[in-house]
Amino acid sequence: MGITDRKRDHIRIVLENASVQRGSNWLEYVHIIPRAVPDINVDEIDVKATFLGKEFSAPILIEGMTGGTDEAARINATLAEAAGRARVPMGVGSQRAGIARPELRYTFRAAREAGPDVFLIANIGAAQLAQHGVQLAWEAIKMIDANAIAIHVNTLQEIIQPEGDRRFKGFLAQTRRLCEEIGVPVIIKEVGCGISFEDAVILRELGVSAVDVAGRGGTSWVEIERMRAVEAGRIDRAQLAEVFQDWGIPTAASVLEVAQVNGLEIVGSGGIRNGLEIAKLLLLGANMGGMAMPFLKAAVQGVEEVENLIERLKEELKATLALCGASNIAEFKKRASYVLTGPLKEWRDQRIAGRAAKR
Ligand SMILES: Cc1cc2nc3c(=O)[nH]c(=O)nc-3n(C[C@H](O)[C@H](O)[C@H](O)COP(=O)(O)O)c2cc1C
């Protein structure tokens, strides 16, 4: 099966199956303490946020999803037009197809054409970077005049995919070179399993600017690849996927982990579905909240639907700030406190509370 068929499968499976969102991202174990005594004007609340040195209208990121087919070109264009109007950043999906087949570049380029001023994030996989190095990253950036590049680490997905590429050796050395040479911020992102404290320390030392956790509790690539394996009659791969259904660090725990490392910006993502969840991520230490699947669903409906979604998220975020008596995000982070309960508290106690200080 070619890359474009795979991309088509991914979009179809995500749009048709609610079950590809697996489990919980553990944000329900974060309880923000309400502040009942107000001294602000709710209509003056401002949710502007800064990420990678740029200011955006809100701490909302449209996560990288697609490219490689006509449908993907339409989705990228729709997302970029809305992102431009709403002044939020966005990523495109893995550009491997566009690099291998120049006739498919327009499917990624569509984002830049529809959003000439959008902060666009290029995307390639860790295996591609490991094997082909900085030149490949450069081609991805050039293809869409990107403002930053995300390298996705997706070991579990590649292991389950029958056609998966599992040659990651050299990834760390190439990431270091990339950070030294490329001239735009480098983001390392997971795709559903989260990123740990230990890995964040390594990434910071390599010179990475930001980490996008894409934790457990959102779109599950294990489940998507399990469905594809069943459709393809690959029962061995489907069984492998089943064993690893719940692998990974839930989003809330992953943000807590990565926030222990100084000098890395953080995108909290993985199952984020409303502005209250984005507010919780900010308190745990994230700079932005990222969403993929809800933006895909909105994009197939059109630009207006994507803009409405962004507007709804902003309203929910503003409501949360209001309920904490904060008129902007800096104030919110300073004023608001929270309690962790259940498994997230246990996680924090075992993994974070014992660690002496931020590294
Ligand atoms: C249809 C679809 C395609 C995706 N393709 C990519 C990709 O090519 N590269 C990548 O880094 N992440 C990809 N992702 C992962 C998302 O960027 C995101 O990290 C993850 O889906 C978690 O967000 P969610 O729970 O809001 O969907 C894709 C997600 C979806 C839903």
Side-chain angles (χ1 to χ4, degrees):
M1 171 173 286
I3 303 174
T4 52
D5 295 324
R6 190 155 74 236
K7 290 282 148 194
R8 210 171 279 124
D9 272 4
H10 288 157
I11 290 183
R12 173 180 55 80
I13 290 174
V14 169
L15 289 177
E16 289 174 5
N17 297 277
S19 63
V20 298
Q21 172 152 350
R22 289 269 313 173
S24 150
N25 59 22
W26 282 12
L27 281 169
E28 70 270 33
Y29 303 118
V30 181
H31 309 271
I32 302 178
I33 307 298
R35 299 291 297 270
V37 183
D39 194 21
I40 51 157
N41 290 332
V42 173
D43 291 336
E44 289 167 13
I45 292 174
D46 171 6
V47 290
K48 279 205 280 295
T50 313
F51 178 57
L52 300 174
K54 293 272 179 308
E55 191 180 85
F56 299 103
S57 73
I60 298 170
L61 171 81
I62 303 177
E63 296 262 306
M65 277 183 281
T66 200
T69 64
D70 282 344
E71 184 190 17
R74 279 194 298 278
I75 291 169
N76 278 335
T78 303
L79 290 172
E81 192 177 333
R85 287 196 201 153
R87 289 187 300 110
V88 298
M90 86 168 250
V92 296
S94 172
Q95 290 169 263
R96 188 176 164 190
I99 291 165
R101 294 176 51 190
E103 75 276 16
L104 296 179
R105 287 188 185 165
Y106 81 96
T107 66
F108 298 95
R109 181 84 203 156
R112 175 51 78 213
E113 269 147 30
D117 302 322
V118 174
F119 189 93
L120 267 189
I121 305 170
N123 189 301
I124 60 170
Q128 282 85 60
L129 180 68
Q131 292 160 37
H132 306 288
V134 175
Q135 177 59 29
L136 187 102
W138 180 238
E139 283 178 40
I141 291 168
K142 223 170 44 183
M143 193 187 303
I144 58 169
D145 299 322
N147 305 85
I149 183 162
I151 312 297
H152 63 265
V153 285
N154 63 340
T155 316
L156 181 54
Q157 183 187 10
E158 298 287 359
I159 288 174
I160 293 167
Q161 257 180 18
E163 67 277 44
D165 190 344
R166 305 169 186 117
R167 293 164 296 166
F168 298 109
K169 210 168 182 58
F171 168 65
L172 295 181
Q174 292 293 358
T175 300
R176 184 187 297 282
R177 266 196 67 201
L178 182 69
C179 296
E180 283 167 4
E181 294 175 17
I182 205 70
V184 297
V186 174
I187 304 166
I188 300 292
K189 76 182 287 284
E190 239 292 341
V191 299
C193 294
I195 291 182
S196 65
F197 167 78
E198 290 82 352
D199 285 340
V201 170
I202 292 172
L203 294 173
R204 193 260 325 265
E205 262 135 44
L206 295 176
V208 165
S209 299
V211 160
D212 182 342
V213 302
R216 194 181 91 201
T219 304
S220 163
W221 288 96
V222 179
E223 180 59 10
I224 294 169
E225 297 300 346
R226 190 193 65 75
M227 287 182 179
R228 288 184 64 238
V230 170
E231 286 175 8
R234 289 294 303 262
I235 299 309
D236 57 329
R237 294 287 153 181
Q239 278 171 342
L240 185 62
E242 255 161 50
V243 172
F244 288 94
Q245 282 285 17
D246 296 320
W247 183 260
I249 309 174
T251 300
S254 185
V255 171
L256 278 178
E257 294 247 341
V258 177
Q260 296 309 300
V261 182
N262 276 320
L264 274 178
E265 294 195 51
I266 303 171
V267 181
S269 68
I272 306 310
R273 301 295 176 252
N274 60 56
L276 173 57
E277 289 187 320
I278 295 173
K280 289 181 178 181
L281 291 172
L282 298 177
L283 290 186
L284 298 183
N287 303 85
M288 302 288 276
M291 297 188 354
M293 193 216 285
F295 279 116
L296 176 66
K297 291 188 169 161
V300 293
Q301 315 264 338
V303 175
E304 205 184 332
E305 202 65 28
V306 179
E307 283 187 89
N308 288 344
L309 171 55
I310 297 170
E311 206 38 52
R312 170 172 77 74
L313 295 168
K314 280 187 192 167
E315 285 307 311
E316 291 160 352
L317 183 56
K318 283 182 188 172
T320 314
L321 265 58
L323 295 168
C324 294
S327 53
N328 57 51
I329 286 174
E331 235 177 78
F332 174 62
K333 286 189 166 190
K334 213 157 74 197
R335 270 180 70 89
S337 42
Y338 61 88
V339 169
L340 303 183
T341 57
L344 187 58
K345 177 184 180 310
E346 275 177 43
W347 191 289
R348 196 263 323 264
D349 292 349
Q350 290 190 32
R351 289 277 299 164
I352 291 158
R355 208 169 276 136
K358 268 196 160 206
R359 288 199 32 198

